[in-house]
Amino acid sequence: MTVQQHLDMTPKRGLITDTYKVVKKARRGGKKDKSPSPPRAEPEPPQLSEREKELLELKKFDLDWRFGPCTGISRLQRWERAALHGMDPPQEIKDILLKEKTDREYTQSLWSDYPL
């Protein structure tokens, strides 16, 4: 007896779902022809002003632990201390700080309002 003959002799088992009648639900509103919707355009990220970009860079500098603690001193003092100790702080930060010497938002670190 070959394998094929053996398979032909065994009763086929049906699926449990074969014993139930298939009932299709009617769609509400009938069948509609849908035209494909156009792909959504990704919203462009908002463009930052020069000031916002500079403040973002200064915040990154405040949060970078490699240049030492920043509480109790100005950003420029922290930059100079880091340079003095050979920590190689970014020159762009010093340029921003020297350009905006009088603006408190530029000169004071994120942590300046917290007590020591």
Side-chain angles (χ1 to χ4, degrees), residues 77-102:
Q77 289 171 326
R78 182 171 181 244
W79 190 95
E80 289 171 345
R81 182 189 61 200
L84 181 69
H85 292 287
M87 296 176 188
D88 197 29
Q91 183 63 40
E92 303 85 47
I93 298 298
K94 185 176 183 180
D95 296 340
I96 293 170
L97 293 172
L98 292 176
K99 183 175 74 172
E100 299 292 339
K101 286 183 180 180
T102 57

Side-chain angles (χ1 to χ4, degrees), residues 24-64:
K24 291 186 177 182
K25 294 182 181 180
R27 290 185 176 186
R28 293 183 187 171
K31 193 173 185 180
K32 295 181 180 178
D33 291 331
K34 287 189 175 181
S35 61
S37 59
R40 290 187 181 183
E42 292 292 323
E44 290 186 27
Q47 296 299 318
L48 299 176
S49 68
E50 189 64 31
R51 178 182 175 85
E52 290 171 324
K53 289 177 188 177
E54 290 174 347
L55 289 173
L56 186 63
E57 289 301 312
L58 292 173
K59 286 179 184 179
K60 287 179 188 178
F61 177 68
D62 289 345
L63 296 172
D64 195 336

